[in-house]
Amino acid sequence: QVQLVESGGGLVQPGGSLRLSCAASGSIFSIRTMGWYRQAPGKERELVATITSGGTTNYADSVKGRFTVSRDNAKNTVYLQMNSLKTEDTAVYYCNADVRVTANLNNRYWGQGTQVTVSS
């Protein structure tokens, strides 16, 4: 079993910054892609940013230039630095990891979600 524990959400004013963290623990052989998704009220969950074990990143157009995803492979942790936050960034942010649990088995795991609210 693998657990993803997120931290760092909260309330911030427009233009402010937050940093989210997500640590994976449990039966981990290796982790391929890690990333962040978000879901606003009444909307579907959408990709925010992903990063491979080699450091290749991918961002939603709406966050390019404002958000930065990074990871510490030794700690099985992924981060999301969010700058210049907008009210439309308000959502529950979910961590995701594509985990190789054995040499021949991959599973995808989700964190419990952390609320980010951007409001004046």
Side-chain angles (χ1 to χ4, degrees), residues 19-21 36 68-72 77-81:
R19 188 188 194 215
L20 305 182
S21 300
W36 296 91
T68 302
V69 62
S70 61
R71 66 190 278 177
D72 184 332
T77 300
V78 63
Y79 306 95
L80 185 68
Q81 177 67 43

Side-chain angles (χ1 to χ4, degrees), residues 31-34 50-58 71 73:
I31 302 179
R32 301 195 301 181
T33 300
M34 300 185 80
T50 61
I51 182 168
T52 68
S53 58
T56 300
T57 57
N58 180 47
R71 66 190 278 177
N73 291 330

